[in-house]
Amino acid sequence: MSSITVIALVTLALATHAFAQEEAVVVMATRFPEKRLEHPIGVTVVTRAQIANSTAKTLPDLLSRYAGINTRNNSGSPDVAIDVRGFGASGDQNTLVLLDGQRLNDIDLTTVRWSAIPLDAIERIEIQRGGGAVLYGGGASGGTINIITRSPIAGDKSAVAGASYGSYDTSGLRAALKFAGTNTGFSLNASQYNSDNYRVNNRLEQGDVIGDLRWTGDRAGLVFKFGLDNQSLRLPGARTAAQLDSDPRGSDTPGDYSARDGRQATLSGSYAFDSADVAVDLSYRETKRIGFFDDYVTGLGLSTFTDTRSEVWALTPRLKVPYRLFARDNVLIFGMDADFWDYQALRAARFEQLGAPQTDLAATQEDRAYYMQNHTAISAATKFTLGARLQRVDIAANDRANPAGYANISQSRSPRAWELALRHNFDPALALYGKLGTSFRVATVDEMYSQFGGPGFDSFLTPLEPQTSRDREIGLEYKSVRGRMRASLYRMDLRNEIHFNALTFTNMNLSPTRREGVELEGSWRLGGGLDLFGSYTHARAVFREGVYVDALTGASVDLGGKNVPLVPRNKADLGFSWQMAERTRLSGALAYVGVQYYDNDQANTFPAQMPAYLTADAKLTHLAGPWTLGLSANNLTDKKYYSYAIRNGAGTSFNAYPMAGRNFLLSAAYRWP
C-alpha cells in the first residue's frame, strides 16, 4: 500500500471523529472578534499550543501541514512561495496574507516576508480557503491567512531568552518581554538567525523585532504595533537535472545575492457604543530590497543589479451594528478600505551604474473600497451571510529610462465581489455550510512590465484586466470534547486569470480556467496524552479552453483540458504529539506531495512530471524548571527532493532547487519568573 494511501486513510478515519479545542475567537469572519463557529465561514484556527507542538521550524512549514496549502522554494530564500487551492506559479498572488488584519502582499511579484514573523510571537493563525474578497479585497481567490501576534495580558510580567544551534552552521538567538498592568501593556519579541543552509552560496543572516503597546478601557481600546526586519541572503541558483545527481549542493551563481530592510507600524483604535462597535486602523509599511544576478544568461555575460523600494499607507475604518428585523437577530458590518502605494525600481548592470539605470520604473496604486456584510440568525441553528464589495483601483506606471509612449500606462478599474453563505447546526457538534461568491485580483506592477518586450527590445508596459473568479463550496464541520473535523468540496471558475504563459513569453489574461477539489482535515485526542492529526487534499487545476501561438515554433497550441503546472493532484500530512512524560513531549509528522507538472509546461508535453516525495520530521521537548530544551530533526530519511522545478525553453530538460537533506537543531530557552 502506497504512502499516500496510508496517510489518506488515516486522515479520513480521523475526520470521522472530533478534536479537543477551546472555543477560539477569530477576527477574519467579520473583522471584529467573534466566536469561531458563530458565522458561516469555514475557518481553520491554528492555536498557540498547536504552533508550539509542531515540528515546523518556519511559518510556511507550519501552514503546509493543513489541507489545501502547498509551498515551494524557487529561490533558495526562507520566504518561500505559498499556494492555496492550486494556483501554481501565481499562488503567492492569489493568497492574501494579513498580519493582525493588515495586508503583507506587495504590488510586485516578491513573496511575503514570512521570515520577519517569528513563530514565538504568534498567538494564533486563521485560515480561510477561497474567497475573502468582500472583507479584504483583491488577491484572496485561493484563500486568506490572518496571523495574529501575541498581546500582553493584564498582570503578565515575564521574559524569555533562548538560543539554538544546528546543522549547516545554523545559530539563532531570541528574546521576548511582556509587561502589563490593569489597563496598559507592552510586549516585545526579537530574534536573530544565521545559517549557511544546505546549498553553497546560500548564507542567510536575518533579524527581526515585533512590538505591541496597548491601552484598554471599559469601552475603548488603543493599540500601537510595530515591526522591523532585515535580511542578507546569498542566492545559490537552480541546478540542472545532471547536477542534481552529481552535485545537488553546488552553485553556479557565486556572485548572486539579495538584501532586504523592512519596517511597519499600525495604530488601531476601537470603541463600543451602546448600539454599535467602531474600529479603525492606520498602518504604514516600507520595504527596501537590493539584488545582484551575475551572468544570468550563461555565457553572455549579462548581469543585473536591482534596487527596489515600496511603501504603502492604509486606512481601514469599520462599523459593527447588531439589530433585529422581522423578529430575527442580525449583525451588519460596514467598512471602507483606502490604500496608497508608492513604488520605484532601478535596474542596471552594476551598482555603480544606477546613476544611469537601464530601468527606472515608478508606479503608484490607489485602492478605495466600500464593503458590507450582514449576518442573519434565521433560527438558533441556521445562520445566513450576505456581503458585497465595491472597489476602485487606479494604477499609473512609467519607465522613466524609456521615453517611448508604450513604456507609460495609466488605468482605472472597478472590480467587485459578493458572497452568500449559509450554515446549519444539526446539533452542537455537527454543522453543514455552503458558500457562493466572487473574488478578483489586480495585476502587479511586475506583471504589467516587461524590460525587453518593446518593439526595439526595450521596456514595455501592458495593461491587464482584473482576474475574476466565481466560487462555490460546501463543507461539513464536526467538533466535540475530543476532536474536530472539516471536509469540503469546492470549485472556482476563473476568467481573465493573470498568468505567465510560457508559450507566448508574456504575462497575460488567460482564457477560462478552473480549480476544484476535496479537502479533509481531522484531529483526534487519544488517551495517554497522545494527539493525532491528518489532512488530505485532492486538487485539480485546468485550463478550460485557450489556443495560443507558440513563440518559438509558430504553431497553435490548444490548452483546453490541460493541467496547470505546479499543482500536485494529491497532498497529505499525518502527525502526532505525545506527552510521553509530565514534562516531556515528542512530536512527529509525515508530509506527502504528489506528482505535478513542471513550471512552464502548460501544454503538458514534457516527458516526465516532478517526482512525488515523502518527508518525515520529529521534535523532542523537555521542561526542566525554568528551562525549555528542544531537539528537532527534519527530513529524517535524508530524502533527495525538490519542491520547485522549471522546464527549459527547448523542452528537453529542467532546472530545480534541491531541498535540504537531514538536519538537526538543538535549542534552549529560559523563562523569568
Side-chain angles (χ1 to χ4, degrees), residues 324-343:
R324 285 185 64 83
L325 181 66
F326 302 123
R328 299 288 187 271
D329 289 329
N330 289 261
V331 175
L332 175 66
I333 310 295
F334 179 80
M336 183 195 80
D337 291 335
D339 299 336
F340 304 92
W341 290 87
D342 188 25
Y343 174 90

Side-chain angles (χ1 to χ4, degrees), residues 100 149 151 211-214 223-227 264-267:
D100 296 315
T149 56
S151 300
D212 183 309
L213 179 64
R214 63 181 54 221
V223 180
F224 177 65
K225 294 193 175 188
F226 62 91
Q264 60 192 30
T266 301
L267 181 63

Side-chain angles (χ1 to χ4, degrees), residues 61-396:
D61 287 344
L62 175 69
L63 293 170
S64 69
R65 310 290 173 151
Y66 291 86
I69 302 178
N70 193 35
T71 60
R72 62 184 62 91
N73 192 322
N74 58 1
S75 67
S77 168
D79 299 314
V80 303
I82 194 162
D83 183 6
V84 179
R85 287 193 168 171
F87 280 84
S90 64
D92 269 335
Q93 287 68 54
N94 286 281
T95 303
L96 179 59
V97 181
L98 310 169
L99 180 64
D100 296 315
Q102 303 302 309
R103 299 174 70 100
L104 291 183
N105 304 72
D106 284 325
I107 60 170
D108 58 13
L109 287 177
T110 54
T111 58
V112 169
R113 304 194 316 260
W114 302 105
S115 58
I117 311 170
L119 287 174
D120 293 334
I122 300 174
E123 175 65 27
R124 67 183 185 277
I125 303 171
E126 304 167 0
I127 304 169
Q128 178 182 334
R129 300 163 184 83
V134 167
L135 289 181
Y136 295 103
S141 296
T144 305
I145 299 170
N146 192 15
I147 303 159
I148 309 297
T149 56
R150 294 189 185 184
S151 300
I153 301 174
D156 188 3
K157 298 178 178 64
S158 63
V160 177
S164 59
Y165 185 79
S167 304
Y168 316 128
D169 196 22
T170 297
S171 63
L173 296 172
R174 63 183 179 91
L177 174 66
K178 292 184 177 64
F179 184 86
T182 303
N183 299 106
T184 59
F186 173 73
S187 68
L188 189 70
N189 283 270
S191 67
Q192 177 69 37
Y193 181 86
N194 302 314
S195 179
D196 285 341
N197 285 316
Y198 173 69
R199 300 280 306 282
V200 173
N201 192 45
N202 200 198
R203 177 69 178 175
L204 168 67
E205 298 177 356
Q206 66 181 34
D208 54 74
V209 176
I210 291 180
D212 183 309
L213 179 64
R214 63 181 54 221
W215 170 84
T216 304
D218 293 336
R219 289 177 174 263
L222 192 63
V223 180
F224 177 65
K225 294 193 175 188
F226 62 91
L228 302 170
D229 67 274
N230 63 73
Q231 181 186 93
S232 176
L233 177 68
R234 307 295 300 188
L235 301 173
R239 306 301 278 159
T240 65
Q243 290 170 334
L244 287 174
D245 293 329
S246 63
D247 184 19
R249 299 184 65 176
S251 173
D252 292 330
T253 58
D256 290 7
Y257 65 88
S258 67
R260 180 193 75 211
D261 284 286
R263 54 179 177 168
Q264 60 192 30
T266 301
L267 181 63
S268 303
S270 61
Y271 191 86
F273 293 94
D274 291 336
S275 58
D277 293 340
V278 176
V280 60
D281 300 327
L282 175 64
S283 67
Y284 172 80
R285 181 162 56 89
E286 180 184 44
T287 305
K288 296 180 180 179
R289 295 182 176 92
I290 62 171
F292 181 64
F293 305 89
D294 191 17
D295 194 19
Y296 58 87
V297 180
T298 304
L300 296 184
L302 297 176
S303 62
T304 295
F305 185 90
T306 63
D307 186 343
T308 305
R309 177 189 60 82
S310 66
E311 61 178 352
V312 56
W313 286 91
L315 179 67
T316 58
R318 53 202 181 274
L319 174 71
K320 174 183 175 182
V321 182
Y323 67 98
R324 285 185 64 83
L325 181 66
F326 302 123
R328 299 288 187 271
D329 289 329
N330 289 261
V331 175
L332 175 66
I333 310 295
F334 179 80
M336 183 195 80
D337 291 335
D339 299 336
F340 304 92
W341 290 87
D342 188 25
Y343 174 90
Q344 183 179 14
L346 301 175
R347 300 178 188 175
R350 300 280 172 177
F351 169 77
E352 297 79 12
Q353 300 174 12
L354 283 182
Q358 299 167 341
T359 296
D360 184 359
L361 180 61
T364 60
Q365 180 173 317
E366 297 184 7
D367 301 277
R368 296 176 298 279
Y370 297 92
Y371 62 88
M372 62 76 60
Q373 186 186 64
N374 193 82
H375 302 270
T376 303
I378 299 176
S379 68
T382 306
K383 295 180 174 63
F384 174 71
T385 293
L386 171 66
R389 183 184 186 93
L390 303 176
Q391 184 160 327
R392 180 179 175 86
V393 183
D394 296 311
I395 301 174

Side-chain angles (χ1 to χ4, degrees), residues 501-504 511 543 545-560 562 601-605 647:
N501 192 335
L503 295 171
T504 62
S511 298
F543 302 96
E545 57 185 75
V547 178
Y548 304 96
V549 177
D550 189 316
L552 290 178
T553 66
S556 294
V557 180
D558 186 358
L559 294 187
K562 302 296 185 181
D601 187 24
Q602 282 90 344
N604 299 170
T605 56
R647 189 203 69 167

Side-chain angles (χ1 to χ4, degrees), residues 453-503:
F457 204 55
D458 54 354
S459 59
F460 189 86
L461 281 156
T462 305
L464 294 173
E465 293 301 312
Q467 165 188 307
T468 60
S469 176
R470 185 176 295 271
D471 311 322
R472 288 148 286 180
E473 180 179 348
I474 186 169
L476 190 69
E477 291 184 339
Y478 185 85
K479 69 162 193 170
S480 72
V481 175
R482 300 185 65 185
R484 73 165 175 90
M485 175 277 288
R486 183 184 70 88
S488 65
L489 177 68
Y490 68 89
R491 171 176 285 184
M492 297 180 286
D493 289 327
L494 294 99
R495 293 187 178 276
N496 289 324
E497 179 174 348
I498 302 167
H499 182 84
F500 177 77
N501 192 335
L503 295 171

Side-chain angles (χ1 to χ4, degrees), residues 1-11 572 592:
M1 184 178 293
S2 68
S3 302
I4 179 62
T5 303
V6 172
I7 296 177
L9 288 174
V10 173
T11 302
Y592 173 89

